[in-house]
Amino acid sequence: MIEHKITDFIMNAEAKALATFSPEYGLNVVPVSTITVKDEKIILMNYFMGKTLHNIKDNPTVSLACWKGLEGIQIKANVEYQNGGTLFEEMKQWIAETLPSRVLKGILILTPTEIFDTSASAEKAGTKIY
C-alpha cells in the first residue's frame, strides 16, 4: 500500500503535522519531528504529547500531512499507541543512537486508510493516491 515514492516523500518532507480530534479535547494539530516507515506502518515518536494522546484514546483516527515546498500529501490513518513491546524497544534503541538527548515515551503506529495529494496544483490537489 505505501509505495516506495510515498515512503521517500514522508521521510524527506520538510515539515509534518499530525491532526487528531476528540469530543472532550476538540481538534488538535502538532508538528511531528521523528518519523519512520516500517512494514507498511508509519511510526511517530512521542516525546511529550499530551492532548494528542487523549484524542487518540477517544478517537483512533488521525490525519498526517507531509510537505516539501509546494508538494504535499495527506495520509488518513488508524492509530495505535504503544509504550512497551518489541517495536517500542526497537524504536527506543534507534532514538538512543540517533537522538540521545530525547526520551521516548511511546510510539504512534499509523495504518494508512487513504492517501491524497495536497500539492499546490490544479491537476494534483485532492487527487486520491490510495
Side-chain angles (χ1 to χ4, degrees):
M1 174 170 109
I2 301 179
E3 297 176 9
H4 183 68
K5 67 180 182 176
I6 298 294
T7 298
D8 283 348
F9 192 86
I10 292 167
M11 297 302 296
N12 294 302
E14 293 170 350
K16 299 168 276 297
L18 181 71
T20 61
F21 176 82
S22 77
E24 183 178 354
Y25 291 95
L27 185 61
N28 188 54
V29 178
V30 295
V32 174
S33 62
T34 314
I35 189 169
T36 193
V37 179
K38 181 177 175 70
D39 300 328
E40 300 292 314
K41 309 283 185 184
I42 301 165
I43 305 166
L44 311 179
M45 308 308 143
N46 171 25
Y47 306 116
F48 35 73
M49 293 178 181
K51 282 190 275 183
T52 300
L53 292 183
H54 290 292
N55 280 1
I56 65 170
K57 287 177 184 174
D58 288 347
N59 178 6
T61 304
V62 299
S63 180
L64 176 67
C66 304
W67 63 95
K68 184 175 185 176
L70 298 176
E71 299 288 317
I73 58 172
Q74 176 199 31
I75 302 161
K76 294 183 181 184
N78 294 318
V79 63
E80 175 190 351
Y81 185 73
Q82 292 182 3
N83 57 4
T86 305
L87 185 56
F88 172 76
E89 291 301 326
E90 182 182 328
M91 293 298 107
K92 188 174 177 182
Q93 180 64 35
W94 177 57
I95 294 304
E97 293 168 5
T98 58
L99 297 167
S101 64
R102 296 281 177 106
V103 176
L104 186 64
K105 294 181 179 178
I107 57 175
L108 285 75
I109 304 167
L110 280 62
T111 302
T113 56
E114 295 180 295
I115 302 174
F116 294 90
D117 193 318
T118 58
S119 300
S121 161
E123 297 81 32
K124 291 182 177 182
T127 302
K128 188 171 184 176
I129 299 170
Y130 170 82

